[in-house]
């Protein structure tokens, strides 16, 4: 299927000197996140060190920027014991709804097909011969529904993390460094210079600081996120803008999470 919709451009937004909401970032949603990540060497100097005020503000608005954009094109690389999954599609950050094509790698091809998900439910459309690209319009039938598991599944943890990367308001910039957020290094993602920042710990869990890392550019836009999940030794990787964004259409029986 040929895609005709142009890649969505993120609107510019002036960075605040303060933010209004305590950051949940991914720690609250990714309940299976556990250990510090190991990532490739960066192009620039490496930390960790304390965030500057500019870096704090950019991290504080990163999830808001996704919500402000409406949705983002994503590629989610999910580790599994039998090879791994690559999930290519779109996330609507206002509806809290994702839609993607799932392809297995290695021996893990039994999950091939289409998937839609919200914060509580996963809808799967198995396909023995999955298409090369995600159909813009979901099929009208053959969707199977199941609860989204909050523990023990690297796939479901990845889906929940992806949805949690949008917020309708900036996070609390003052609390980020207090809860362990830090600058880790510099990198380049698809030609864009970014800072790599370790996210804060979850509420009442200071030991989780740094479990999630964010690749954020000078405008506060996310380009990549990595997070460890308890069920797998390798991190989940979420890349943004790897392909054209296609607005999410609901499959039959799927309800967005408002």
């Amino acid at each position: 299927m040929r895609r005709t919709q142009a890649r969505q451009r993120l609107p510019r937004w002036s960075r605040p000197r303060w933010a209004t909401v305590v950051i949940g970032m991914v720690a609250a949603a990714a309940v299976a996140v556990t250990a510090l990540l190991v990532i490739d060497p960066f192009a620039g100097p490496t930390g960790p060190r304390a965030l500057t005020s500019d870096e704090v503000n950019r991290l504080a608005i990163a999830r808001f920027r996704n919500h402000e954009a409406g949705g983002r094109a994503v590629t989610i690389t999910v580790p599994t014991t039998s090879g791994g999954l690559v999930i290519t599609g779109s996330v609507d950050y206002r509806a809290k709804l994702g839609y993607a094509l799932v392809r297995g790698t290695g021996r893990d091809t039994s999950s091939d097909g289409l998937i839609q998900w919200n914060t509580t439910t996963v809808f799967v459309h198995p396909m023995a011969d999955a298409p090369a690209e995600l159909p813009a319009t979901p099929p009208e039938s053959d969707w199977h529904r199941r609860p989204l598991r909050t523990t023990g599944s690297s796939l479901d943890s990845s889906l929940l993390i992806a949805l949690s990367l949008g917020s309708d308001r900036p996070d609390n910039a003052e609390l980020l460094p207090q809860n362990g957020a830090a600058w880790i290094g510099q990198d380049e993602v698809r030609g864009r210079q970014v800072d790599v920042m370790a996210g804060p710990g979850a509420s009442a869990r200071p030991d989780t600081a740094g479990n999630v890392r964010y690749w954020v550019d000078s405008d506060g836009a996310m380009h990549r996120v990595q997070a460890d999940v308890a069920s797998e030794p390798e991190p989940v990787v979420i890349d943004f803008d790897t392909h054209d964004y296609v607005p999410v259409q609901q499959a039959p029986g799927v309800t967005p999470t408002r």
Side-chain angles (χ1 to χ4, degrees):
M1 181 190 66
R2 182 179 179 182
R3 294 189 179 169
T4 58
Q5 180 145 349
R7 177 171 296 179
Q8 187 184 47
R9 298 180 64 87
L10 289 170
R12 295 188 63 84
W13 190 77
S14 58
R15 294 191 292 273
R17 296 186 178 180
W18 55 271
T20 57
V21 172
V22 175
I23 189 169
M25 295 305 283
V26 179
V31 293
V33 169
T34 55
L36 188 67
L37 303 179
V38 177
I39 56 182
D40 293 334
F42 304 118
T46 59
R49 62 158 171 77
L51 295 169
T52 67
S53 59
D54 174 72
E55 290 160 356
V56 168
N57 285 332
R58 283 191 281 132
L59 184 57
I61 67 170
R63 294 198 306 143
F64 176 75
R65 294 277 281 155
N66 283 344
H67 184 273
E68 186 183 41
R72 300 285 302 274
V74 298
T75 295
I76 308 170
T77 304
V78 184
T80 69
T81 55
S82 55
L85 301 171
V86 177
I87 302 170
T88 306
S90 299
V91 175
D92 184 329
Y93 282 108
R94 296 180 182 175
K96 294 291 185 183
L97 182 65
Y99 172 50
L101 173 68
V102 180
R103 283 187 172 276
T105 60
R107 295 182 293 109
D108 198 0
T109 59
S110 60
S111 298
D112 284 9
L114 307 178
I115 191 170
Q116 281 208 0
W117 72 98
N118 57 30
T119 57
T120 62
T121 310
V122 177
F123 299 81
V124 179
H125 186 284
M127 302 179 76
D129 187 14
E133 295 186 347
L134 178 70
T137 301
E140 291 293 324
S141 61
D142 297 327
W143 289 93
H144 303 275
R145 173 176 179 162
R146 66 169 176 80
L148 186 147
R149 290 171 285 179
T150 57
T151 60
S153 169
S154 58
L155 170 60
D156 287 16
S157 294
S158 302
L159 300 177
L160 196 57
I161 291 169
L163 289 183
S164 73
L165 294 175
S167 175
D168 62 0
R169 64 197 72 188
D171 294 298
N172 191 317
E174 292 184 358
L175 292 181
L176 293 182
Q178 295 178 25
N179 291 333
W183 183 89
I184 301 299
Q186 294 176 331
D187 202 357
E188 182 177 304
V189 180
R190 287 176 291 281
R192 291 297 301 268
Q193 293 296 319
V194 295
D195 289 290
V196 184
M197 306 181 199
S203 178
R205 287 288 307 277
D207 60 307
T208 62
N211 285 352
V212 183
R213 295 188 179 188
Y214 305 85
W215 278 246
V216 179
D217 70 16
S218 59
D219 292 325
M222 287 185 196
H223 290 265
R224 178 175 294 156
V225 172
Q226 282 190 356
D228 271 12
V229 292
S231 55
E232 297 295 336
E234 297 297 322
V236 169
V237 180
I238 301 173
D239 278 300
F240 293 94
D241 300 332
T242 53
H243 53 279
D244 291 344
Y245 173 75
V246 177
V248 178
Q249 298 183 34
Q250 297 175 41
V254 178
T255 304
T257 305
R258 298 290 182 180

